[in-house]
Amino acid sequence: MNKIGILTGGGDCPGLNPVIRAVVRKGINEGYEIIGIKNGWKGMIENDTIPLDINAVSGILPKGGTILGTSRTNPYKNPGDIEKVKVNFQKIGLYALIAVGGEDTLGVANKLISDGLPNIVGVPKTIDNDLSATDYTFGFDTAVNIATECIDRLHTTAESHHRIIVAEVMGRHAGWIAIESGIAGGADVILIPEIPIDIEEVCNVIKKRHARGKTFSIIVVAEGAHFKEGTFVTQEQKLDAFGHVRLGGIGEQLAQEIEKRTGYETRVSVLGHIQRGGSPTAFDRVLGTKFGVKAVELVQNKKFGRMVALSGTRIIDVPLQEAVKTLKTVDKELYEVAKVFFG
Ligand code: F6P
């Protein structure tokens, strides 16, 4: 009754280590033994674990990534893997498991609950901020701050060279990173997956800026954005274990189109994994810490099948299935705020 396992799955993000530290500190205070499961669901399939005591999590609060490692392994992909997860759950002697992840990792947790492993609670993570039932996921704030700093830097070089610079940011099929970093960085146009790109309109904004003496422009585009006529751009055709494509390349296509139509010199900067690496912001450290403590409380209170979440400034818990039901995308209201500053 006293062993709690913790795993981190999917793309890493800043704030995972604060969660692990909080689970270990709170768990040990409450008399639990904490077992780290290595590399997400892969560790449950392979029985790859590491005991976590207070010393094991000392000094990890400001570190990016995850000390447990991660993977995009889907135990529902290969026949027989779910059985291994169940057997290892028993072998390790787990009472409960805390799964820290995004839609994929938590989707697996949700299925496992109905497939005979009920003692699971979820903690939402992703730089994309696209999980329903929580106002924010940790990792997002750090990614937005990094992207904002990059946009600031792109501004100075764009202005000096009288160029258009397209900054392509991550976020998968949601435009949260683009819209928030674009607003914070004072982008002249922000393009998100939720609203198809009207290239005529984008070029008109740029030309109008030139007409009033602004011979440079910064365009922020989300990797999942697409032209009105087309669909999202991918780096390769291969799908991962959860059926996702690798997005990327819309920035280059957009830059070529802008240069062709306006005649202005245009460059692209793909921010990529820079947005996911490095130290978490104070906001993400605090959010991760609160989530970790709350996750242990859910185990103590036998509130299984639930996920910790942020509602306003309060940490609450919600059914796991609520979180993975639909993708949380950018609302029209926020886009209207961003639009005020286009041009
Ligand atoms: O979900 C987080 C994320 O960084 C997305 O924004 C991006 O599309 C994807 O992961 C990149 O995945 P990978 O790290 O596997 O290249």
Side-chain angles (χ1 to χ4, degrees), residues 234-249:
T234 60
Q235 293 185 44
E236 56 178 11
Q237 293 307 310
K238 226 173 72 193
L239 303 179
D240 72 11
F242 289 93
H244 299 297
V245 287
R246 271 182 72 204
L247 294 170

Side-chain angles (χ1 to χ4, degrees), residues 65-201:
T66 161
I67 59 160
L68 293 177
T70 186
S71 72
R72 295 198 191 277
T73 302
N74 181 357
Y76 280 94
K77 183 94 179 144
N78 295 321
D81 279 353
I82 285 300
E83 205 38 49
K84 287 184 191 158
V85 170
K86 288 183 186 171
V87 168
N88 287 332
F89 199 97
Q90 298 304 328
K91 265 197 198 160
I92 305 164
L94 294 181
Y95 165 59
L97 177 65
I98 296 174
V100 189
E103 51 159 335
D104 299 330
T105 305
L106 298 181
V108 168
N110 190 43
K111 274 198 207 158
L112 279 170
I113 287 163
S114 26
D115 287 347
L117 276 188
N119 290 10
I120 303 180
V121 303
V123 176
K125 112 11 293 199
T126 166
I127 63 162
D128 303 337
N129 198 38
D130 58 357
L131 267 178
S132 292
T134 183
D135 287 350
Y136 282 106
T137 48
F138 63 84
F140 173 66
D141 184 67
T142 307
V144 168
N145 274 285
I146 295 167
T148 302
E149 196 203 323
C150 292
I151 295 166
D152 288 346
R153 288 173 187 274
L154 292 173
H155 256 111
T156 60
T157 171
E159 187 164 9
S160 305
H161 282 267
H162 312 283
R163 281 173 175 160
I164 315 304
I165 298 192
V166 174
E168 182 183 304
V169 299
M170 281 186 165
R172 222 167 229 162
H173 298 290
W176 291 107
I177 298 177
I179 199 108
E180 294 221 350
S181 66
I183 292 173
D188 303 302
V189 177
I190 303 169
L191 301 165
I192 57 175
E194 292 81 350
I195 299 174
I197 303 169
D198 183 337
I199 188 69
E200 275 299 315
E201 214 177 289

